[in-house]
Amino acid sequence: MGENNIPAVVLPVTWQRALRIWWALWWRGMLLSLGIGGLLALVVGIIGGLLSIGEGPTIVVAVIAYFGVLAAIAVLPVQWVFKKQLKNFRIVLIECPEQQPNNIERPIVSK
């Protein structure tokens, strides 16, 4: 049984569903990275300008800061997509205890 006592139905993995999931992850990740990149470039650029560090070192610091922050929060788009309804389906996690063989009985499969 699924969340809220809704029976689980396993849908086949199709290109359309895979592309829908990819798109949901991609555009959220892109917006997040562009926002963070712009904000960090602004902050590091202002600080670099105020301290007269020079363009080269300022760019290096900005790039390092960008990748460090992005690596720390890259999971956010994944969490967001897990909470979204994607057209006629959503992504859920189903517990599979380690002791169960791979050929366990599956929930109802949609045709």
Side-chain angles (χ1 to χ4, degrees):
M1 296 292 270
E3 192 175 288
N4 300 325
N5 295 325
I6 299 171
V9 176
V10 177
L11 299 173
V13 177
T14 63
W15 279 107
Q16 184 178 5
R17 290 186 183 114
L19 286 172
R20 190 170 301 280
I21 293 167
W22 170 81
W23 177 249
L25 289 167
W26 188 84
W27 78 259
R28 286 169 175 84
M30 188 57 64
L31 284 180
L32 182 65
S33 66
L34 288 173
I36 288 170
L39 185 63
L40 281 174
L42 179 69
V43 170
V44 172
I46 289 172
I47 292 171
L50 291 174
L51 298 176
S52 300
I53 294 175
E55 189 176 306
T58 301
I59 292 173
V60 170
V61 169
V63 169
I64 291 171
Y66 170 72
F67 282 113
V69 171
L70 195 60
I73 64 171
V75 72
L76 289 178
V78 176
Q79 286 183 322
W80 296 336
V81 170
F82 269 118
K83 295 176 183 177
K84 295 294 292 178
Q85 175 78 26
L86 303 172
K87 186 96 177 173
N88 63 343
F89 69 96
R90 58 183 277 219
I91 303 169
V92 296
L93 301 175
I94 300 174
E95 181 181 6
C96 292
E98 288 181 35
Q99 63 269 23
Q100 289 184 342
N102 287 336
N103 61 351
I104 61 172
E105 201 171 307
R106 304 282 183 207
I108 303 166
V109 177
S110 172
K111 294 190 179 178

